[in-house]
Amino acid sequence: MIALLLIPLALPWVLPPLARRAVERVRPETALWTVTCATAALAVGVVASLGVLLLPLALTFPPAAALAELIRPLTTGPRPLVLGVSALSCAALTLAAVRVVRGAASEVAHLRTVRRLVRGLPDAGGLCVLDDPRPDAFALPGGPALPGRIVVTSGMLRALGPVEREALLAHERAHLAARHHLFLGAAQLAAWCHPALTAVVDPISFAAERAADEAAARRCGDRGTAARAVGRAALAANSAREATAAPALAPGAATGPVPARVRALLSPAPVRRMAPALLAMLLVCTTAGASALAGAVWLHQDVEVAQGESPGD
């Protein structure tokens, strides 16, 4: 039982290299969906496995044992080993919960701060211009009281030419239309649940930026113009001494590995194709899910025995 439930905890370490290969070789929209879904599925498997591993320790307490109607001790293997692993899973689950709560609270506070900055600004077709000399631009996710907006500083507008500004705005509109902040949020949430999934946040962010780059190139009708806009926006943002500190869930044109994005835009448009990395991610997620389910079923049978029942009754 323990070995089965440990498999979903180990498999997330396999995902980062697969994610990097996927975003390099597959269309960005396909890579974004696939890698994000695989990351979320593995995070769910991690939390579920930790929760199941926690049960043997929890059922040693009389109130929990009485609630589960146990009439004999739960036997799931060597008692010291089972209780030791159960205690470690309790610590890991507690740490993950603390990271999720603290990280989510910090990001929500950051979003609220930026939303207050733009709340009173004129809204021209969803575009807000901040009077700030520091070059920056990002797509601010919407909320109950404020729709999604494109936020651009006056410094960024001055750094770009008219055609490049249009490419920049098309990039940010693509972020809002595709709701890329949800993908980034799912990636960040998964990273808080397991340390290995932290390394998947950057590939997902890169895939989101590449998807917006391709949308901007289609909108402009010129991949070279989109590449120049991305490059000049990044150079302008990097030359500033301080950034405007956009929220992590607000994707921007000047983020990510810009040289790789520019090279991709200066190359022909990507074609639709499947990569072995996608099939490998599917296999990893299937294995994690099957292992977690088998471990949970095994534990359920042990609980039935402790309740004085025959397994399957």
Side-chain angles (χ1 to χ4, degrees):
M1 184 272 290
I2 292 180
L4 288 172
L5 291 172
L6 291 179
I7 291 175
L9 304 182
L11 285 176
W13 297 101
V14 181
L15 186 61
L18 295 177
R20 288 191 290 269
R21 293 178 68 87
V23 299
E24 292 172 357
R25 303 187 179 191
V26 184
R27 282 179 60 91
E29 297 87 352
T30 303
L32 180 61
W33 273 97
T34 306
V35 176
T36 304
C37 289
T39 304
L42 288 180
V44 171
V46 166
V47 173
S49 296
L50 289 175
V52 175
L53 285 170
L54 174 62
L55 286 178
L57 179 62
L59 292 176
T60 60
F61 294 97
L67 184 63
E69 300 180 348
L70 302 187
I71 62 175
R72 65 185 68 164
L74 181 66
T75 56
T76 55
R79 187 174 178 82
L81 174 63
V82 171
L83 294 183
V85 172
S86 191
L88 289 176
S89 69
C90 178
L93 198 58
T94 301
L95 178 60
V98 170
R99 294 184 65 191
V100 168
V101 171
R102 292 182 60 181
S106 176
E107 191 60 30
V108 168
H110 200 168
L111 284 171
R112 287 176 176 173
T113 299
V114 178
R115 283 171 180 162
R116 281 196 294 269
L117 289 176
V118 304
R119 191 178 299 277
L121 295 178
D123 183 349
L127 172 63
C128 295
V129 179
L130 279 176
D131 186 13
D132 192 326
R134 296 171 295 183
D136 202 1
F138 52 88
L140 183 64
L146 186 69
R149 293 184 177 185
I150 300 170
V151 181
V152 183
T153 63
S154 56
M156 180 62 81
L157 294 178
R158 286 193 294 268
L160 303 178
V163 178
E164 293 162 345
R165 291 175 195 162
E166 288 300 320
L168 177 74
L169 296 180
H171 176 102
E172 302 302 346
R173 290 192 187 99
H175 279 313
L176 287 180
R179 303 177 72 82
H180 286 161
H181 61 280
L182 297 180
F183 295 89
L184 299 179
Q188 190 60 70
L189 185 62
W192 291 327
C193 294
H194 194 289
L197 298 179
T198 303
V200 188
V201 174
D202 285 344
I204 290 177
S205 176
F206 178 64
E209 294 303 328
R210 283 284 300 116
D213 288 342
E214 293 297 329
R218 290 191 296 269
R219 179 73 175 178
C220 298
D222 184 1
R223 299 179 66 80
T225 298
R228 286 193 301 274
V230 169
R232 292 192 64 178
L235 287 174
N238 290 337
S239 66
R241 293 185 178 181
E242 297 180 357
T244 54
L249 301 187
T255 59
V258 174
R261 292 170 53 197
V262 171
R263 284 197 302 269
L265 283 170
L266 293 177
S267 303
V271 297
R272 294 182 181 274
R273 64 178 179 179
M274 295 294 291
L278 299 185
L279 298 178
M281 280 191 284
L282 177 61
L283 178 61
V284 167
C285 293
T286 302
T287 303
S291 299
L293 180 60
V297 170
W298 197 326
L299 178 62
H300 180 262
Q301 293 175 347
D302 291 337
V303 171
E304 286 184 334
V305 172
Q307 291 173 333
E309 303 175 6
S310 297
D313 289 351

